[in-house]
Amino acid sequence: MVKRLIPFLFLLITAAVPAQKKSTLELKLEQQAKALEPQVIEWRRKFHQNPELSNRENNTGAFVAQYLKSLGLEVQYPVARTGVVGLLKTGKPGPVVALRADMDALPITERNGLPFAAMVKTNFGGQETGVMHACGHDAHMAMLMAVAKILSEDKSELKGAVKFLFQPAEEGVGPAESPAGAELMVKEGVLENPKVDAVFGLHIQSLLPSGTLNYRSGALMAAVDGFDLKVKGKGAHGATPWEGIDPVVVGCQIVDGLQTIVSRQTALTEAAAVITVGTFHAGIRRNIIPEEAILQGTIRTFGPEMQKKVHEKIKLTAAKIAEASGATADVDIQVMYPATINDAKLTAMMVPSLAKAAGKENVNVIPAVTMAEDFSFYQQKVPGFFFFLGAYPADMKLEKKPTHHTADFMIDENSFSVGVKALLNVTVDYLTYSK
């Protein structure tokens, strides 16, 4: 059904960006993107070999800031702890576009065998670990640097202004450093002075075909929240459990009960929902029933109404299951990132721009995904369009899929030129055709 809808969708939306032969500027942009492809790969590998965790992107931020200054951009650094904002003014009145790339890496030890694999080690959460760009943020930065270079060279042919947002801490931070990433960037005014009219971003996707551009109007990615759940029981000897109240058993019942919120209490035909318990800690010895158990998990929802209902159901379910056994359950829910929702009008306007970058046959409408993105904080303030760049080639023979956030993650560098062209096209077309 989705494939049958795509041609009809293009007929509806191509009026937003006039269909015509490629202009001299469009041909120039393609040539510039192609010429910069080796440099983009070089930048990406530099970032990949020197990854830095959230809010520790000191060397990364300094490198980006210096590069943007060399292009003649107005640069703010640091912003939101380690972030960078570059402003390109064309000198002519017009809209203001913001383009975003995230900078942080993850606490993962790389094992994919790449010749430029990261060898960085660090301490994270009290554990020794490697650091790895296991989500493609290295590629995002490299592509946006290329876009900044090309647009700065062509600014005489543009109107308005472009802001380049190099953002730290997309992967999140602990409570002591909250807020993180995009939320803090917004609070520090990156969408103001000059006021941004539209914000664009892409995310590389290692499991979608290389060189494809993938999007959807409305909710693209889920809201993400976390929860800490403490079950308080009564300690006892492991040989006489009837003398205590076992928080381990109660905790297991709660884990099962939480799943019925999704399967029996949520309208899944409207949108997906996920409740996952990721950690369960209790006890210190096999023959001792502990006094408490600690569970931690993640929640994924689409839209504020579903989010509110799921939060209420989690608290109610945990409390009543615990009460049935004489225990108590305290639930603390941390609201993290809202859903990533693409503005319908902006999406319709920009899809032809994606087609110019990759070809109509390589632009796809996709289902919503339950991963989350803090790009949503920008979209809460101004219309935004976020899309995926496929980077998994059909001939890549791997024993394990290069899944994001894993030690085996890898991407096809041949996809980068499509990403650069896509960002160029949405920017130039918006500056040219928006009213």
Side-chain angles (χ1 to χ4, degrees), residues 15 66 72 102 120 124 127 133 167 179-180 283 286 306 310 379 385 408 421:
Q66 185 59 42
D102 34 16
V120 176
F124 183 81
Q127 298 184 55
H133 271 295
Q167 176 208 304
R286 71 182 69 189
M306 176 186 282
V310 169
Q379 292 173 312
F385 180 46
D408 300 304
K421 288 189 290 184

Side-chain angles (χ1 to χ4, degrees), residues 94-342:
V96 180
V97 166
L99 302 174
R100 178 272 210 161
D102 34 16
M103 304 194 302
D104 50 332
L106 290 158
I108 296 174
T109 302
E110 192 161 5
R111 68 178 179 208
N112 52 31
L114 292 175
F116 53 89
M119 305 300 290
V120 176
K121 301 290 183 183
T122 192
N123 185 283
F124 183 81
Q127 298 184 55
E128 191 74 18
T129 181
V131 183
M132 177 187 177
H133 271 295
C135 202
H137 297 186
D138 49 349
H140 301 169
M141 289 185 285
M143 287 186 282
L144 191 56
M145 286 172 63
V147 172
K149 177 176 174 59
I150 292 169
L151 292 180
S152 65
E153 292 174 351
D154 298 339
K155 70 177 182 178
S156 63
E157 301 178 63
L158 305 173
K159 64 177 182 177
V162 183
K163 280 189 174 183
F164 301 93
L165 311 180
F166 288 83
Q167 176 208 304
E170 187 279 328
E171 300 293 355
V173 295
E177 292 182 294
S178 183
E183 185 178 8
L184 187 55
M185 293 279 278
V186 170
K187 286 185 176 181
E188 294 196 2
V190 301
L191 299 179
E192 306 294 334
N193 301 315
K195 181 175 176 57
V196 170
D197 296 296
V199 60
F200 301 111
L202 67 74
H203 202 299
I204 207 154
Q205 184 29 275
S206 65
L207 300 182
L208 291 174
S210 185
T212 61
L213 296 171
N214 308 270
Y215 76 99
R216 73 178 289 107
S217 184
L220 172 68
M221 303 180 77
V224 57
D225 304 311
F227 66 86
D228 297 310
L229 197 161
K230 180 182 291 186
V231 180
K232 294 182 179 178
K234 180 182 177 183
H237 195 293
T240 55
W242 52 86
E243 293 180 350
I245 300 172
D246 194 338
V248 176
V249 173
V250 174
C252 291
Q253 292 172 340
I254 290 174
V255 172
D256 284 342
L258 294 180
Q259 302 314 307
T260 67
I261 297 172
V262 174
S263 65
R264 292 295 181 268
Q265 302 174 59
T266 304
L268 297 180
T269 55
E270 297 177 9
V274 175
I275 303 172
T276 294
V277 176
T279 70
F280 191 131
H281 299 286
I284 195 169
R285 183 171 173 148
R286 71 182 69 189
N287 63 350
I288 301 173
I289 293 175
E291 293 185 351
E292 66 180 32
I294 307 294
L295 291 71
Q296 294 178 310
T298 187
I299 308 162
R300 308 295 165 119
T301 53
F302 292 91
E305 290 185 11
M306 176 186 282
Q307 183 185 45
K308 180 182 178 182
K309 181 178 179 181
V310 169
H311 288 187
E312 292 172 348
K313 292 290 185 180
I314 288 173
K315 293 178 180 179
L316 180 64
T317 299
K320 293 303 181 181
I321 289 175
E323 183 182 350
S325 296
T328 62
D330 297 321
V331 181
D332 176 42
I333 295 178
Q334 303 94 42
V335 177
M336 298 170 70
Y337 300 168
T340 302
I341 300 176
N342 283 331

Side-chain angles (χ1 to χ4, degrees), residues 367-427:
V369 298
T370 51
M371 284 81 77
E373 241 289 346
D374 72 351
F375 186 83
S376 53
F377 284 104
Y378 304 115
Q379 292 173 312
Q380 288 188 323
K381 299 296 183 181
V382 299
F385 180 46
F386 195 72
F387 55 94
F388 294 131
L389 169 64
Y392 180 69
D395 60 351
M396 186 182 284
K397 300 185 185 303
L398 300 169
E399 292 182 4
K400 296 181 179 180
K401 289 183 178 181
T403 304
H404 288 247
H405 287 220
T406 70
D408 300 304
F409 176 80
M410 64 173 68
I411 48 180
D412 178 20
E413 294 176 326
N414 292 320
S415 67
F416 296 171
S417 62
V418 173
V420 172
K421 288 189 290 184
L423 290 173
L424 287 170
N425 285 350
V426 296
T427 303

Side-chain angles (χ1 to χ4, degrees), residues 25-105:
L25 177 57
E26 287 170 347
L27 292 172
K28 182 181 179 182
L29 293 172
E30 283 193 3
Q31 293 168 355
Q32 290 172 305
K34 183 64 177 176
L36 267 180
E37 188 173 9
Q39 180 65 74
V40 174
I41 292 172
E42 182 180 328
W43 282 329
R44 182 261 168 158
R45 293 185 178 187
K46 173 182 174 64
F47 290 133
H48 193 85
Q49 286 185 305
N50 299 277
E52 295 177 299
L53 295 176
S54 300
N55 284 342
R56 303 182 194 177
E57 308 95 332
N58 298 297
N59 294 328
T60 304
F63 177 81
V64 170
Q66 185 59 42
Y67 179 74
L68 296 183
K69 288 178 183 176
S70 75
L71 299 178
L73 274 61
E74 294 181 13
V75 176
Q76 293 175 267
Y77 171 75
V79 179
R81 300 190 178 99
T82 58
V84 186
V85 177
L87 176 62
L88 172 65
K89 294 180 177 178
T90 66
K92 288 172 277 189
V96 180
V97 166
L99 302 174
R100 178 272 210 161
D102 34 16
M103 304 194 302
D104 50 332

